[in-house]
mmCIF file of all heavy atoms in Angstrom:
data_model
loop_
_atom_site.group_PDB
_atom_site.id
_atom_site.type_symbol
_atom_site.label_atom_id
_atom_site.label_comp_id
_atom_site.label_asym_id
_atom_site.label_seq_id
_atom_site.Cartn_x
_atom_site.Cartn_y
_atom_site.Cartn_z
ATOM 1 N N LYS A 189 -2.663 4.738 -0.706
ATOM 2 C CA LYS A 189 -2.459 4.158 -2.041
ATOM 3 C C LYS A 189 -0.978 4.240 -2.441
ATOM 4 O O LYS A 189 -0.571 5.166 -3.128
ATOM 5 C CB LYS A 189 -3.289 4.935 -3.071
ATOM 6 C CG LYS A 189 -4.766 4.955 -2.758
ATOM 7 C CD LYS A 189 -5.481 6.001 -3.597
ATOM 8 C CE LYS A 189 -6.948 6.073 -3.239
ATOM 9 N NZ LYS A 189 -7.608 7.241 -3.826
ATOM 10 N N PRO A 190 -0.188 3.267 -2.010
ATOM 11 C CA PRO A 190 1.257 3.337 -2.274
ATOM 12 C C PRO A 190 1.642 3.256 -3.758
ATOM 13 O O PRO A 190 2.754 3.608 -4.117
ATOM 14 C CB PRO A 190 1.818 2.127 -1.524
ATOM 15 C CG PRO A 190 0.759 1.736 -0.556
ATOM 16 C CD PRO A 190 -0.534 2.095 -1.195
ATOM 17 N N LEU A 191 0.725 2.795 -4.625
ATOM 18 C CA LEU A 191 1.075 2.661 -6.054
ATOM 19 C C LEU A 191 0.598 3.844 -6.898
ATOM 20 O O LEU A 191 0.659 3.778 -8.131
ATOM 21 C CB LEU A 191 0.477 1.368 -6.635
ATOM 22 C CG LEU A 191 0.851 0.062 -5.934
ATOM 23 C CD1 LEU A 191 0.238 -1.124 -6.685
ATOM 24 C CD2 LEU A 191 2.373 -0.112 -5.852
ATOM 25 N N CYS A 192 0.142 4.905 -6.232
ATOM 26 C CA CYS A 192 -0.523 5.990 -6.979
ATOM 27 C C CYS A 192 0.391 6.708 -7.973
ATOM 28 O O CYS A 192 -0.086 7.451 -8.820
ATOM 29 C CB CYS A 192 -1.139 6.987 -6.023
ATOM 30 S SG CYS A 192 0.080 7.887 -5.057
ATOM 31 N N ARG A 193 1.703 6.493 -7.891
ATOM 32 C CA ARG A 193 2.596 7.155 -8.847
ATOM 33 C C ARG A 193 3.135 6.209 -9.921
ATOM 34 O O ARG A 193 3.993 6.593 -10.717
ATOM 35 C CB ARG A 193 3.742 7.844 -8.096
ATOM 36 C CG ARG A 193 3.230 9.015 -7.250
ATOM 37 C CD ARG A 193 4.308 9.638 -6.423
ATOM 38 N NE ARG A 193 5.425 10.133 -7.209
ATOM 39 C CZ ARG A 193 6.196 11.164 -6.849
ATOM 40 N NH1 ARG A 193 5.942 11.812 -5.715
ATOM 41 N NH2 ARG A 193 7.195 11.541 -7.589
ATOM 42 N N PHE A 194 2.629 4.981 -9.947
ATOM 43 C CA PHE A 194 3.068 4.020 -10.966
ATOM 44 C C PHE A 194 2.048 3.914 -12.088
ATOM 45 O O PHE A 194 0.849 3.743 -11.818
ATOM 46 C CB PHE A 194 3.236 2.620 -10.364
ATOM 47 C CG PHE A 194 4.421 2.497 -9.455
ATOM 48 C CD1 PHE A 194 4.287 2.624 -8.089
ATOM 49 C CD2 PHE A 194 5.682 2.264 -9.983
ATOM 50 C CE1 PHE A 194 5.383 2.517 -7.243
ATOM 51 C CE2 PHE A 194 6.789 2.160 -9.145
ATOM 52 C CZ PHE A 194 6.639 2.282 -7.780
ATOM 53 N N TYR A 195 2.543 3.960 -13.311
ATOM 54 C CA TYR A 195 1.668 3.727 -14.458
ATOM 55 C C TYR A 195 1.164 2.285 -14.412
ATOM 56 O O TYR A 195 1.875 1.396 -13.920
ATOM 57 C CB TYR A 195 2.451 3.940 -15.767
ATOM 58 C CG TYR A 195 2.673 5.375 -16.117
ATOM 59 C CD1 TYR A 195 3.573 6.146 -15.373
ATOM 60 C CD2 TYR A 195 2.007 5.973 -17.168
ATOM 61 C CE1 TYR A 195 3.791 7.479 -15.690
ATOM 62 C CE2 TYR A 195 2.218 7.304 -17.494
ATOM 63 C CZ TYR A 195 3.106 8.048 -16.755
ATOM 64 O OH TYR A 195 3.304 9.359 -17.066
ATOM 65 N N GLU A 196 -0.022 2.090 -14.969
ATOM 66 C CA GLU A 196 -0.606 0.748 -14.989
ATOM 67 C C GLU A 196 0.344 -0.254 -15.640
ATOM 68 O O GLU A 196 0.538 -1.361 -15.158
ATOM 69 C CB GLU A 196 -1.940 0.779 -15.745
ATOM 70 C CG GLU A 196 -2.635 -0.551 -15.696
ATOM 71 C CD GLU A 196 -3.996 -0.541 -16.375
ATOM 72 O OE1 GLU A 196 -4.643 0.521 -16.418
ATOM 73 O OE2 GLU A 196 -4.383 -1.604 -16.875
ATOM 74 N N ARG A 197 0.963 0.157 -16.735
ATOM 75 C CA ARG A 197 1.843 -0.790 -17.426
ATOM 76 C C ARG A 197 3.112 -1.084 -16.631
ATOM 77 O O ARG A 197 3.716 -2.151 -16.765
ATOM 78 C CB ARG A 197 2.161 -0.324 -18.859
ATOM 79 C CG ARG A 197 2.753 1.048 -18.981
ATOM 80 C CD ARG A 197 2.753 1.476 -20.440
ATOM 81 N NE ARG A 197 3.563 0.598 -21.273
ATOM 82 C CZ ARG A 197 4.846 0.796 -21.513
ATOM 83 N NH1 ARG A 197 5.483 1.821 -20.982
ATOM 84 N NH2 ARG A 197 5.511 -0.044 -22.279
ATOM 85 N N GLU A 198 3.497 -0.174 -15.743
ATOM 86 C CA GLU A 198 4.642 -0.443 -14.879
ATOM 87 C C GLU A 198 4.301 -1.558 -13.890
ATOM 88 O O GLU A 198 5.133 -2.407 -13.583
ATOM 89 C CB GLU A 198 5.060 0.819 -14.115
ATOM 90 C CG GLU A 198 5.678 1.877 -15.011
ATOM 91 C CD GLU A 198 5.968 3.183 -14.292
ATOM 92 O OE1 GLU A 198 5.353 3.473 -13.254
ATOM 93 O OE2 GLU A 198 6.807 3.948 -14.786
ATOM 94 N N MET A 199 3.063 -1.544 -13.398
ATOM 95 C CA MET A 199 2.659 -2.588 -12.458
ATOM 96 C C MET A 199 2.468 -3.922 -13.175
ATOM 97 O O MET A 199 2.778 -4.972 -12.622
ATOM 98 C CB MET A 199 1.377 -2.193 -11.711
ATOM 99 C CG MET A 199 1.550 -1.046 -10.734
ATOM 100 S SD MET A 199 3.149 -0.940 -9.888
ATOM 101 C CE MET A 199 3.179 -2.450 -8.950
ATOM 102 N N ALA A 200 1.951 -3.868 -14.407
ATOM 103 C CA ALA A 200 1.825 -5.104 -15.181
ATOM 104 C C ALA A 200 3.219 -5.687 -15.412
ATOM 105 O O ALA A 200 3.440 -6.891 -15.239
ATOM 106 C CB ALA A 200 1.125 -4.825 -16.505
ATOM 107 N N ALA A 201 4.166 -4.833 -15.762
ATOM 108 C CA ALA A 201 5.540 -5.292 -16.002
ATOM 109 C C ALA A 201 6.134 -5.903 -14.733
ATOM 110 O O ALA A 201 6.809 -6.936 -14.775
ATOM 111 C CB ALA A 201 6.403 -4.119 -16.484
ATOM 112 N N TYR A 202 5.858 -5.260 -13.588
ATOM 113 C CA TYR A 202 6.385 -5.789 -12.327
ATOM 114 C C TYR A 202 5.816 -7.186 -12.055
ATOM 115 O O TYR A 202 6.565 -8.118 -11.735
ATOM 116 C CB TYR A 202 6.062 -4.857 -11.150
ATOM 117 C CG TYR A 202 6.597 -5.380 -9.836
ATOM 118 C CD1 TYR A 202 7.907 -5.110 -9.441
ATOM 119 C CD2 TYR A 202 5.827 -6.193 -9.009
ATOM 120 C CE1 TYR A 202 8.420 -5.619 -8.257
ATOM 121 C CE2 TYR A 202 6.327 -6.716 -7.825
ATOM 122 C CZ TYR A 202 7.622 -6.421 -7.450
ATOM 123 O OH TYR A 202 8.136 -6.930 -6.281
ATOM 124 N N SER A 203 4.489 -7.325 -12.203
ATOM 125 C CA SER A 203 3.844 -8.607 -11.901
ATOM 126 C C SER A 203 4.371 -9.717 -12.813
ATOM 127 O O SER A 203 4.623 -10.838 -12.362
ATOM 128 C CB SER A 203 2.327 -8.494 -12.071
ATOM 129 O OG SER A 203 1.824 -7.600 -11.109
ATOM 130 N N ILE A 204 4.540 -9.383 -14.070
ATOM 131 C CA ILE A 204 5.024 -10.398 -15.019
ATOM 132 C C ILE A 204 6.476 -10.764 -14.714
ATOM 133 O O ILE A 204 6.829 -11.943 -14.613
ATOM 134 C CB ILE A 204 4.844 -9.901 -16.474
ATOM 135 C CG1 ILE A 204 3.342 -9.837 -16.804
ATOM 136 C CG2 ILE A 204 5.563 -10.821 -17.457
ATOM 137 C CD1 ILE A 204 2.997 -9.044 -18.041
ATOM 138 N N ALA A 205 7.303 -9.734 -14.509
ATOM 139 C CA ALA A 205 8.717 -9.996 -14.227
ATOM 140 C C ALA A 205 8.888 -10.776 -12.930
ATOM 141 O O ALA A 205 9.784 -11.600 -12.791
ATOM 142 C CB ALA A 205 9.491 -8.681 -14.160
ATOM 143 N N ARG A 206 8.001 -10.544 -11.971
ATOM 144 C CA ARG A 206 8.085 -11.216 -10.674
ATOM 145 C C ARG A 206 7.457 -12.612 -10.725
ATOM 146 O O ARG A 206 7.574 -13.402 -9.784
ATOM 147 C CB ARG A 206 7.386 -10.335 -9.624
ATOM 148 C CG ARG A 206 7.443 -10.798 -8.215
ATOM 149 C CD ARG A 206 8.837 -10.901 -7.648
ATOM 150 N NE ARG A 206 9.295 -9.645 -7.086
ATOM 151 C CZ ARG A 206 10.588 -9.407 -6.815
ATOM 152 N NH1 ARG A 206 11.504 -10.298 -7.084
ATOM 153 N NH2 ARG A 206 10.950 -8.259 -6.305
ATOM 154 N N GLY A 207 6.750 -12.892 -11.811
ATOM 155 C CA GLY A 207 6.112 -14.204 -11.953
ATOM 156 C C GLY A 207 4.840 -14.351 -11.136
ATOM 157 O O GLY A 207 4.474 -15.459 -10.743
ATOM 158 N N ILE A 208 4.177 -13.237 -10.864
ATOM 159 C CA ILE A 208 2.923 -13.290 -10.103
ATOM 160 C C ILE A 208 1.795 -13.714 -11.038
ATOM 161 O O ILE A 208 1.647 -13.148 -12.127
ATOM 162 C CB ILE A 208 2.588 -11.901 -9.491
ATOM 163 C CG1 ILE A 208 3.653 -11.513 -8.458
ATOM 164 C CG2 ILE A 208 1.194 -11.903 -8.860
ATOM 165 C CD1 ILE A 208 3.534 -10.092 -7.938
ATOM 166 N N GLU A 209 1.029 -14.706 -10.606
ATOM 167 C CA GLU A 209 -0.119 -15.140 -11.414
ATOM 168 C C GLU A 209 -1.324 -14.322 -11.004
ATOM 169 O O GLU A 209 -1.764 -14.386 -9.851
ATOM 170 C CB GLU A 209 -0.385 -16.613 -11.152
ATOM 171 C CG GLU A 209 0.139 -17.518 -12.239
ATOM 172 C CD GLU A 209 -0.572 -18.857 -12.168
ATOM 173 O OE1 GLU A 209 -0.091 -19.693 -11.366
ATOM 174 O OE2 GLU A 209 -1.574 -19.034 -12.861
ATOM 175 N N TYR A 210 -1.844 -13.518 -11.930
ATOM 176 C CA TYR A 210 -2.997 -12.677 -11.590
ATOM 177 C C TYR A 210 -4.079 -12.833 -12.647
ATOM 178 O O TYR A 210 -3.822 -13.377 -13.734
ATOM 179 C CB TYR A 210 -2.560 -11.210 -11.467
ATOM 180 C CG TYR A 210 -2.018 -10.590 -12.730
ATOM 181 C CD1 TYR A 210 -2.874 -9.966 -13.639
ATOM 182 C CD2 TYR A 210 -0.656 -10.603 -13.015
ATOM 183 C CE1 TYR A 210 -2.375 -9.380 -14.800
ATOM 184 C CE2 TYR A 210 -0.157 -10.033 -14.169
ATOM 185 C CZ TYR A 210 -1.018 -9.418 -15.062
ATOM 186 O OH TYR A 210 -0.541 -8.857 -16.206
ATOM 187 N N ILE A 211 -5.271 -12.339 -12.355
ATOM 188 C CA ILE A 211 -6.361 -12.465 -13.310
ATOM 189 C C ILE A 211 -6.231 -11.372 -14.376
ATOM 190 O O ILE A 211 -6.122 -10.191 -14.067
ATOM 191 C CB ILE A 211 -7.751 -12.458 -12.619
ATOM 192 C CG1 ILE A 211 -8.863 -12.743 -13.631
ATOM 193 C CG2 ILE A 211 -8.037 -11.172 -11.849
ATOM 194 C CD1 ILE A 211 -10.133 -13.304 -13.015
ATOM 195 N N TYR A 212 -6.141 -11.798 -15.642
ATOM 196 C CA TYR A 212 -5.938 -10.852 -16.750
ATOM 197 C C TYR A 212 -7.222 -10.127 -17.091
ATOM 198 O O TYR A 212 -7.219 -8.967 -17.464
ATOM 199 C CB TYR A 212 -5.439 -11.580 -18.001
ATOM 200 C CG TYR A 212 -4.021 -12.104 -17.863
ATOM 201 C CD1 TYR A 212 -3.756 -13.465 -17.845
ATOM 202 C CD2 TYR A 212 -2.949 -11.210 -17.756
ATOM 203 C CE1 TYR A 212 -2.448 -13.937 -17.706
ATOM 204 C CE2 TYR A 212 -1.648 -11.677 -17.616
ATOM 205 C CZ TYR A 212 -1.411 -13.043 -17.588
ATOM 206 O OH TYR A 212 -0.141 -13.507 -17.449
ATOM 207 N N GLU A 213 -8.341 -10.855 -16.964
ATOM 208 C CA GLU A 213 -9.625 -10.249 -17.319
ATOM 209 C C GLU A 213 -10.007 -9.167 -16.331
ATOM 210 O O GLU A 213 -9.777 -9.307 -15.129
ATOM 211 C CB GLU A 213 -10.744 -11.310 -17.326
ATOM 212 C CG GLU A 213 -10.744 -12.196 -18.534
ATOM 213 C CD GLU A 213 -9.794 -13.383 -18.372
ATOM 214 O OE1 GLU A 213 -9.361 -13.645 -17.235
ATOM 215 O OE2 GLU A 213 -9.469 -14.024 -19.388
ATOM 216 N N GLU A 214 -10.596 -8.106 -16.862
ATOM 217 C CA GLU A 214 -11.198 -7.094 -15.996
ATOM 218 C C GLU A 214 -12.541 -7.640 -15.552
ATOM 219 O O GLU A 214 -13.083 -8.561 -16.167
ATOM 220 C CB GLU A 214 -11.456 -5.817 -16.804
ATOM 221 C CG GLU A 214 -10.197 -5.101 -17.212
ATOM 222 C CD GLU A 214 -10.078 -3.736 -16.567
ATOM 223 O OE1 GLU A 214 -10.618 -3.561 -15.446
ATOM 224 O OE2 GLU A 214 -9.462 -2.865 -17.170
ATOM 225 N N CYS A 215 -13.112 -7.056 -14.524
ATOM 226 C CA CYS A 215 -14.480 -7.405 -14.143
ATOM 227 C C CYS A 215 -15.374 -7.149 -15.360
ATOM 228 O O CYS A 215 -15.246 -6.111 -16.010
ATOM 229 C CB CYS A 215 -14.918 -6.536 -12.973
ATOM 230 S SG CYS A 215 -16.685 -6.666 -12.643
ATOM 231 N N PRO A 216 -16.255 -8.091 -15.707
ATOM 232 C CA PRO A 216 -17.086 -7.920 -16.913
ATOM 233 C C PRO A 216 -17.950 -6.652 -16.892
ATOM 234 O O PRO A 216 -18.332 -6.157 -17.947
ATOM 235 C CB PRO A 216 -17.965 -9.165 -16.930
ATOM 236 C CG PRO A 216 -17.660 -9.940 -15.714
ATOM 237 C CD PRO A 216 -16.470 -9.383 -15.047
ATOM 238 N N PHE A 217 -18.213 -6.127 -15.708
ATOM 239 C CA PHE A 217 -19.043 -4.917 -15.633
ATOM 240 C C PHE A 217 -18.234 -3.644 -15.867
ATOM 241 O O PHE A 217 -18.789 -2.553 -15.967
ATOM 242 C CB PHE A 217 -19.751 -4.840 -14.275
ATOM 243 C CG PHE A 217 -20.769 -5.916 -14.086
ATOM 244 C CD1 PHE A 217 -20.554 -6.945 -13.185
ATOM 245 C CD2 PHE A 217 -21.934 -5.914 -14.833
ATOM 246 C CE1 PHE A 217 -21.491 -7.945 -13.011
ATOM 247 C CE2 PHE A 217 -22.880 -6.911 -14.678
ATOM 248 C CZ PHE A 217 -22.661 -7.933 -13.764
ATOM 249 N N ALA A 218 -16.927 -3.774 -15.952
ATOM 250 C CA ALA A 218 -16.087 -2.581 -16.164
ATOM 251 C C ALA A 218 -16.201 -2.064 -17.598
ATOM 252 O O ALA A 218 -15.963 -0.887 -17.866
ATOM 253 C CB ALA A 218 -14.633 -2.913 -15.847
ATOM 254 N N GLU A 219 -16.589 -2.955 -18.508
ATOM 255 C CA GLU A 219 -16.661 -2.585 -19.922
ATOM 256 C C GLU A 219 -17.588 -1.390 -20.153
ATOM 257 O O GLU A 219 -18.695 -1.344 -19.607
ATOM 258 C CB GLU A 219 -17.148 -3.789 -20.733
ATOM 259 C CG GLU A 219 -16.618 -3.784 -22.152
ATOM 260 C CD GLU A 219 -17.307 -4.852 -23.002
ATOM 261 O OE1 GLU A 219 -17.263 -6.036 -22.624
ATOM 262 O OE2 GLU A 219 -17.885 -4.462 -24.027
ATOM 263 N N GLY A 220 -17.112 -0.458 -20.930
ATOM 264 C CA GLY A 220 -17.943 0.702 -21.269
ATOM 265 C C GLY A 220 -18.079 1.720 -20.147
ATOM 266 O O GLY A 220 -18.874 2.649 -20.243
ATOM 267 N N SER A 221 -17.289 1.561 -19.077
ATOM 268 C CA SER A 221 -17.428 2.501 -17.967
ATOM 269 C C SER A 221 -16.755 3.822 -18.293
ATOM 270 O O SER A 221 -15.883 3.914 -19.158
ATOM 271 C CB SER A 221 -16.808 1.913 -16.702
ATOM 272 O OG SER A 221 -15.403 1.908 -16.815
ATOM 273 N N GLN A 222 -17.182 4.841 -17.573
ATOM 274 C CA GLN A 222 -16.633 6.182 -17.777
ATOM 275 C C GLN A 222 -15.133 6.213 -17.472
ATOM 276 O O GLN A 222 -14.364 6.842 -18.185
ATOM 277 C CB GLN A 222 -17.365 7.137 -16.846
ATOM 278 C CG GLN A 222 -17.296 8.568 -17.313
ATOM 279 C CD GLN A 222 -18.303 9.415 -16.559
ATOM 280 O OE1 GLN A 222 -18.252 9.507 -15.334
ATOM 281 N NE2 GLN A 222 -19.204 10.034 -17.276
ATOM 282 N N SER A 223 -14.749 5.480 -16.434
ATOM 283 C CA SER A 223 -13.338 5.540 -16.051
ATOM 284 C C SER A 223 -12.447 4.925 -17.138
ATOM 285 O O SER A 223 -11.337 5.405 -17.379
ATOM 286 C CB SER A 223 -13.127 4.906 -14.685
ATOM 287 O OG SER A 223 -12.786 3.564 -14.790
#
Side-chain angles (χ1 to χ4, degrees):
K189 302 166 183 168
L191 304 183
C192 66
R193 293 176 58 151
F194 289 96
Y195 283 71
E196 185 177 332
R197 55 191 298 270
E198 290 174 337
M199 291 326 297
Y202 180 86
S203 295
I204 292 165
R206 184 61 87 196
I208 295 172
E209 259 200 275
Y210 63 89
I211 186 157
Y212 290 114
E213 283 85 14
E214 291 245 29
C215 169
F217 293 110
E219 209 190 303
S221 72
Q222 202 166 59
S223 93

